[in-house]
Amino acid sequence: MLIEKLLLHVLIVLAPILSYSFFFEKKQVSTSPYLYGTLQSISATLCILFAFYEGDLYWDLRFAPLVLAFLYGGRIAGGMVLGTILIVRAAMGGDAVVFALAGVVLAAVIPFLFSKKFSVFHAGKRVKAAMLMGFWPSFVQIAILISYTFFYGTADGDFMTTISHVLSFGILQVIGVGTASKLNELVIERSLMKQEIEKAEKLNTMGELAASIAHEVRNPLTVVKGFLQLMQQDDKDNNHPYIPLVLSELGRAEVIISDYLNFAKPEFKKLEGFSLSQVLSDVVMLLNALALKQGVELKSDLKPSLFLFTDRNQLKQAFVNIIKNAIEATPSGGTVTVSLALSGNQALITVADTGKGMTEEQLSRIGTLFYTTKDKGTGLGTTVSVRIIESMQGKVSFKSEVGKGTEVTLRLPAVQNVEISL
């Protein structure tokens, strides 16, 4: 049976993922498309070298590494595998070499076209998409066989047997691609989980340190501020004109310290039911003056009647930080748009600006403690906002393009139309 013989090829297809997981996952080159392309090229070469001859044709799963390379390694990795297959197949020669090379190129077309869109799918959809694309080489092979038959001729009985072999081959190829794709997703999931654990450990350590320092610094600041306020009351002749400035700076220091404490552990002091659209309207109205000062148009689209049950003030602080950042990142004449929508049982708040945007490297660091793209700032505002939203069982995501602007999306559990009461 052809399927039994090709089971060895399924193991060859799985070998690159297993090799990567064991030997390369912790290396610096682990994310390199050249590494992925090399591993899949070796797999494709082995498939060709260990092909099975039956029905006047050679059978192997060379197209499975090709599909996987384009989808999971990108166009560079896919191009490497495509080039390897063409070279090896051309070196083997044969009467049908031209048809075989044409089939390889055609088999690469669909994976090539989907290679960029593939990464935006979620894990489950990626596996299904990979399996569907695993069928494509089988259709190509049938087309090549029909073309070959048209030019050279073959017996009807033999042709139908060959077609049945192609279909069996296609089913096995889909199983191989699907299994390899699932293993790839497990490796990706493990890598992401590891990054999240490392990030959480760093944030917890920094949070505990920040809380400890903030508590220790706040006490002497409170004493200094108290005595300065007493001096200001006694300074009727205004002999110390700098006291208001000093008090203002102390107030700013207290705000930063409060941010550190909030970062360490957001405290929800007053839980209540309230209208989300009303809170967003208040924040937009509050920041409209800042937007006018910056020459930025602040727009809002807050139609849905959505209600939340959480700490209104903490949520308002998160909104203020995010919208304020958007305004400050937008040049004069630009626009910041705040919108509210319902997605399933979640409120979808979007803050989009037409500012300078961010690079992928900057975007990956957003929300990290002490990181900011501003000339002045601590980077605490965004970090605190993310912590607040996540503490409310929500999620924050960022999307940006240099020269076009940034879009921040917040998802929060919400209820529509019916107001929550305690």
Side-chain angles (χ1 to χ4, degrees):
M1 288 292 291
L2 179 65
I3 291 180
E4 292 175 354
K5 294 177 181 179
L6 287 177
L7 285 175
L8 171 63
H9 287 225
V10 174
L11 294 177
I12 294 175
V13 170
L14 298 180
I17 298 102
L18 298 174
S19 300
Y20 171 86
S21 181
F22 279 112
F23 301 111
F24 301 103
E25 191 175 5
K26 296 181 181 179
K27 306 293 183 182
Q28 288 185 343
V29 295
S30 61
T31 57
S32 170
Y34 298 101
L35 171 63
Y36 199 86
T38 300
L39 292 174
Q40 294 293 354
S41 295
I42 294 171
S43 176
T45 302
L46 290 174
C47 285
I48 296 172
L49 294 178
F50 290 98
F52 292 100
Y53 184 78
E54 187 172 316
D56 294 329
L57 291 171
Y58 285 96
W59 301 93
D60 58 70
L61 296 186
R62 71 185 74 173
F63 295 122
L66 180 67
V67 171
L68 291 168
F70 271 114
L71 298 183
Y72 284 98
R75 292 183 174 178
I76 292 176
M80 290 174 64
V81 178
L82 175 61
T84 301
I85 295 175
L86 289 173
I87 292 170
V88 174
R89 182 62 187 88
M92 291 177 65
D95 296 336
V97 64
V98 175
F99 290 91
L101 294 178
V104 173
V105 174
L106 287 173
V109 171
I110 297 298
F112 174 82
L113 294 175
F114 276 88
S115 58
K116 288 191 174 180
K117 295 180 180 179
F118 184 75
S119 61
V120 302
F121 298 153
H122 60 77
K125 194 172 182 180
R126 283 200 295 264
V127 173
K128 293 176 183 177
M131 292 180 71
L132 283 173
M133 277 179 256
F135 273 117
W136 170 244
S138 300
F139 294 128
V140 171
Q141 279 202 316
I142 290 174
I144 293 297
L145 284 171
I146 292 172
S147 301
Y148 185 79
T149 302
F150 177 78
F151 283 102
Y152 294 97
T154 186
D156 290 340
D158 292 337
F159 180 75
M160 293 309 298
T161 301
T162 302
I163 291 295
S164 67
H165 282 341
V166 172
L167 293 175
S168 301
F169 156 82
I171 292 170
L172 190 62
Q173 183 162 260
V174 168
I175 293 172
V177 171
T179 306
S181 179
K182 186 65 177 177
L183 285 175
N184 263 314
E185 293 301 332
L186 291 174
V187 171
I188 293 170
E189 183 182 357
R190 187 172 66 181
S191 178
L192 291 174
M193 191 179 298
K194 183 180 177 182
Q195 291 176 12
E196 288 297 321
I197 291 171
E198 290 176 351
K199 182 180 177 181
E201 288 176 349
K202 288 179 181 178
L203 288 176
N204 287 334
T205 302
M206 289 182 178
E208 290 173 6
L209 181 61
S212 177
I213 294 173
H215 275 298
E216 294 300 323
V217 174
R218 173 178 276 182
N219 292 334
L221 278 183
T222 303
V223 174
V224 172
K225 185 177 181 180
F227 278 110
L228 283 172
Q229 288 172 338
L230 289 174
M231 289 175 65
Q232 187 179 35
Q233 291 176 4
D234 295 335
D235 189 27
K236 296 178 181 179
D237 298 328
N238 197 26
N239 295 321
H240 303 285
Y242 299 113
I243 289 179
L245 177 61
V246 175
L247 286 171
S248 173
E249 290 302 302
L250 284 173
R252 195 163 71 89
E254 284 185 331
V255 169
I256 293 173
I257 289 170
S258 296
D259 281 343
Y260 273 111
L261 290 171
N262 224 359
F263 162 74
K265 187 177 181 181
E267 294 183 3
F268 301 151
K269 297 178 180 178
K270 184 181 179 183
L271 299 177
E272 57 182 327
F274 56 88
S275 168
L276 180 57
S277 55
Q278 183 60 51
V279 169
L280 279 168
S281 296
D282 293 343
V283 173
V284 169
M285 189 179 300
L286 178 69
L287 294 175
N288 195 50
L290 174 65
L292 291 173
K293 182 182 177 182
Q294 299 278 113
V296 175
E297 184 181 5
L298 183 58
K299 297 180 178 179
S300 61
D301 181 14
L302 313 172
K303 294 178 182 178
S305 300
L306 302 176
F307 296 86
L308 267 70
F309 183 81
T310 187
D311 189 312
R312 184 201 303 254
N313 292 328
Q314 289 278 23
L315 184 61
K316 186 178 288 189
Q317 180 188 352
F319 289 154
V320 167
N321 287 337
I322 291 171
I323 299 173
K324 181 171 174 285
N325 285 342
I327 293 171
E328 292 175 346
T330 306
S332 179
T335 305
V336 173
T337 305
V338 182
S339 59
L340 173 64
L342 181 66
S343 177
N345 61 347
Q346 290 185 320
L348 198 66
I349 304 104
T350 305
V351 180
D353 64 61
T354 57
K356 57 185 180 181
M358 291 180 285
T359 63
E360 289 187 8
E361 192 274 335
Q362 289 174 322
L363 200 60
S364 66
R365 296 182 63 189
I366 287 294
T368 304
L369 193 59
F370 306 126
Y371 180 76
T372 178
T373 56
K374 302 179 189 175
D375 295 331
K376 295 181 180 180
T378 61
L380 273 173
T382 304
T383 308
V384 169
S385 299
V386 171
R387 287 292 285 256
I388 289 173
I389 297 299
E390 289 179 348
S391 297
M392 293 177 176
Q393 308 304 314
K395 187 178 180 181
V396 183
S397 58
F398 299 86
K399 185 170 67 174
S400 187
E401 190 173 345
V402 176
K404 292 189 176 181
T406 302
E407 182 178 289
V408 184
T409 303
L410 298 88
R411 295 178 181 272
L412 286 164
V415 176
Q416 190 177 23
N417 296 328
V418 181
E419 188 169 359
I420 302 170
S421 59
L422 288 172

